[in-house]
Amino acid sequence: MNAPRTSTTWQAIRSEVMRRIAEREWAPGAQIPHEAELAQEFGCARATVNRALREVAEEGLVERRRRAGTRVALHPVRKATLRIPVIRTEIEARVAAYRFLLISRTEAAPPPPVAARFQADGAARLLHVVGLHLADDRPFVLEDRWIDPKAVPEVRGVDFEDTSPNEWLVENVTYQGGTIAFSAVAASAADARALDCAPGAALFTIDRATHKGDATLTQVRLTYAQGYSMETTL
Amino acid sequence: MNAPRTSTTWQAIRSEVMRRIAEREWAPGAQIPHEAELAQEFGCARATVNRALREVAEEGLVERRRRAGTRVALHPVRKATLRIPVIRTEIEARVAAYRFLLISRTEAAPPPPVAARFQADGAARLLHVVGLHLADDRPFVLEDRWIDPKAVPEVRGVDFEDTSPNEWLVENVTYQGGTIAFSAVAASAADARALDCAPGAALFTIDRATHKGDATLTQVRLTYAQGYSMETTL
DNA sequence: AAGTGGTCTAGACCACTCC
DNA sequence: GAGTGGTCTAGACCACTTA
């Protein structure tokens, strides 16, 4: 989008490098010239070449190692970046009216598979919140969440009548890491009731756990209404 | 992993910035000091601060705009990076024996939904390849692919008996862009037969189209065996 | 008009790893 | 031991945006 007057931009170098890889001028597995050499060729500073190659490496097209140099990847691992917005934002982006419907909010001992994730003593009681996100008053996604009140003390005072756990947690708790898994499940009776589909219907689900240090803060299963598709670009 | 002697590293600055955001020292929506100020505080060059903040911005924790400065994101859009390996690699990573079984390879006029993606004249004939990837001789994923021979001429000479289209294309065609969609579908009769599950079972699917310039090179639907889950970390 | 981030330069030192 | 990428510096100019 910008065209500085005199200098070579790192974007230009990135494009040229990617072109040479695409056109097989640099074959898969082959080593490409080192930074200093490319800097000379392009008539720019080595830092500029470094910036360009770092980006190409992040996309997985080349692999870089000190001393060994830079090689064109043999099996470029394609990387897709998923943007995972707050559900309310996702629905509003579809120009639909958002509403959250709290189904239940209890404290209970989690079932074994959930407890295992929290690496908690089996006796520990966790907060269990279930609610439905609606788009234009039609079911969009069912949120089934467990929260550890010991790790997130403020949560005890929240009723989740107006604000979904999804949104409250994003705004009030900073995560340090987590895992996400995407899968397909057959709708349970409860799923079918909440999401207005037939039992056994194929539903897209996201299971997410977020951590802070060693502690698991929260775990959630999002079960999307039938026909949902999560999309991104390469 | 490294601790240079005298200088401040950009990783250290990134950590400190993320800490301040996590600890609410910098509140959501608030503006943070500008680069020159932080450089002075940390006793380093502005370029180092820039590098650190650029990384934090890429993770979605802050938003940066010229003149407007850097703000802590109100709704941090979490970004998950999916590594999408070649299927053979994915199976071998599970310490399973990989095998590809070609089911059919024909040239045909694509059905309308496929043709639309190729923006081709309806009369165009595309290569249609269907095959099954097996892990330890058990069905892992069904690949149903359309390839435009006009965009990928070399493909006419490939029989796909030994090498799956998935693998062949990764090695022989460089993409410039594409779209990916993840969803859940009920197993069709053919899916059920190939993947050894009941018709109607909930299956995880990936639909991918890859482009080069304006041309759509190939489009594929990957239907995974029951119970498959795609995982990543935040 | 002015402030802020985006980028480039030229040079330097260092970390890592292959030979 | 030596070559390559990783990073930092100090300074500079520019692009973009808002006031």
Side-chain angles (χ1 to χ4, degrees):
Chain A
M1 261 2 101
N2 53 6
R5 226 63 42 92
T6 58
S7 319
T8 306
T9 66
W10 67 264
Q11 291 96 333
I13 296 175
R14 180 187 57 181
S15 294
E16 174 60 13
V17 166
M18 289 174 71
R19 190 194 63 77
R20 290 183 187 180
I21 293 172
E23 307 287 342
R24 293 285 193 281
E25 289 178 25
W26 291 338
Q31 201 162 114
I32 77 175
H34 57 256
E35 292 187 351
E37 198 170 327
L38 289 173
Q40 192 173 10
E41 177 191 339
F42 292 118
C44 67
R46 184 166 79 89
T48 309
V49 173
N50 179 277
R51 172 74 193 272
L53 290 182
R54 178 156 38 83
E55 300 271 340
V56 178
E58 268 176 19
E59 293 188 35
L61 286 178
V62 300
E63 292 167 358
R64 319 192 74 197
R65 286 211 317 279
R66 280 164 163 145
R67 165 75 192 183
T70 302
R71 293 182 167 281
V72 179
L74 273 176
H75 295 288
V77 174
R78 301 185 184 203
K79 291 174 184 166
T81 301
L82 291 175
R83 305 178 66 255
I84 303 179
V86 176
I87 294 168
R88 183 166 63 77
T89 305
E90 184 177 5
I91 288 176
E92 288 172 351
R94 297 176 178 222
V95 199
Y98 173 76
R99 193 157 67 87
F100 178 68
L101 184 65
L102 181 65
I103 295 177
S104 72
R105 182 193 186 287
T106 58
E107 285 206 24
V114 173
R117 284 224 164 220
F118 280 92
Q119 59 194 28
D121 36 77
R125 295 178 75 80
L126 302 179
L127 185 62
H128 186 205
V129 183
V130 180
L132 187 63
H133 300 260
L134 301 111
D136 282 341
D137 283 326
R138 297 172 58 176
F140 186 79
V141 58
L142 183 67
E143 175 175 1
D144 185 320
R145 185 182 292 271
W146 294 84
I147 306 170
D148 186 350
K150 284 198 297 299
V152 193
E154 319 91 291
V155 80
R156 293 184 184 276
V158 185
D159 64 11
F160 296 121
E161 289 287 347
D162 297 324
T163 307
S164 72
N166 174 271
E167 190 162 357
W168 186 87
L169 284 162
V170 165
E171 288 180 359
N172 292 277
V173 177
T174 311
Y175 71 105
Q176 282 186 340
T179 60
I180 297 193
F182 307 90
S183 56
V185 300
S188 69
D191 294 337
R193 209 175 312 122
L195 295 170
D196 194 21
C197 64
L203 303 178
F204 183 80
T205 67
I206 301 181
D207 285 282
R208 183 167 21 168
T210 53
H211 313 286
K212 189 166 199 169
D214 284 340
T216 296
L217 303 180
T218 179
Q219 176 189 316
V220 64
R221 161 162 283 199
L222 299 172
T223 307
Y224 284 82
Q226 203 164 8
Y228 178 82
S229 153
M230 185 175 69
E231 296 170 11
T232 187
T233 58
L234 280 178
Chain B
M1 256 7 102
N2 52 7
R5 226 65 42 93
T6 58
S7 320
T8 306
T9 66
W10 65 265
Q11 291 96 333
I13 296 175
R14 179 186 58 180
S15 294
E16 174 60 13
V17 166
M18 289 174 70
R19 188 194 66 74
R20 290 182 187 180
I21 294 172
E23 308 287 342
R24 293 285 193 278
E25 290 179 24
W26 291 338
Q31 199 162 115
I32 77 174
H34 58 254
E35 292 187 349
E37 197 170 328
L38 289 173
Q40 191 173 11
E41 177 192 339
F42 292 120
C44 68
R46 183 168 77 92
T48 308
V49 173
N50 180 276
R51 172 73 192 271
L53 290 183
R54 178 157 39 84
E55 300 270 340
V56 177
E58 268 175 21
E59 293 187 35
L61 287 178
V62 299
E63 292 167 358
R64 320 192 74 199
R65 285 209 322 277
R66 281 165 164 147
R67 164 76 194 186
T70 302
R71 294 182 167 280
V72 179
L74 273 175
H75 295 287
V77 174
R78 303 186 182 201
K79 291 174 184 166
T81 302
L82 291 175
R83 304 177 68 253
I84 303 180
V86 176
I87 294 169
R88 183 167 64 77
T89 305
E90 184 177 7
I91 289 177
E92 288 172 352
R94 297 174 178 225
V95 199
Y98 173 75
R99 193 156 68 86
F100 177 69
L101 185 63
L102 181 64
I103 295 177
S104 71
R105 181 194 187 286
T106 58
E107 285 205 23
V114 173
R117 284 222 163 222
F118 281 92
Q119 60 195 31
D121 36 79
R125 296 179 73 80
L126 302 179
L127 186 61
H128 186 205
V129 183
V130 180
L132 186 64
H133 301 260
L134 301 110
D136 282 341
D137 284 327
R138 298 172 57 174
F140 185 78
V141 59
L142 182 65
E143 175 176 1
D144 184 321
R145 185 181 292 270
W146 294 85
I147 306 169
D148 185 350
K150 284 197 298 296
V152 192
E154 319 92 289
V155 80
R156 294 185 182 274
V158 184
D159 64 12
F160 295 122
E161 288 288 347
D162 297 325
T163 307
S164 71
N166 175 272
E167 189 162 358
W168 186 87
L169 285 164
V170 165
E171 288 180 359
N172 292 278
V173 177
T174 310
Y175 71 106
Q176 283 183 339
T179 60
I180 299 193
F182 307 90
S183 57
V185 300
S188 69
D191 294 337
R193 209 175 314 122
L195 295 170
D196 195 20
C197 64
L203 303 179
F204 182 80
T205 67
I206 300 180
D207 285 283
R208 184 167 16 164
T210 54
H211 313 286
K212 189 167 199 168
D214 285 339
T216 295
L217 303 179
T218 178
Q219 177 190 316
V220 64
R221 161 162 282 199
L222 299 172
T223 307
Y224 285 82
Q226 204 164 9
Y228 177 82
S229 151
M230 186 176 68
E231 297 169 12
T232 187
T233 58
L234 280 178

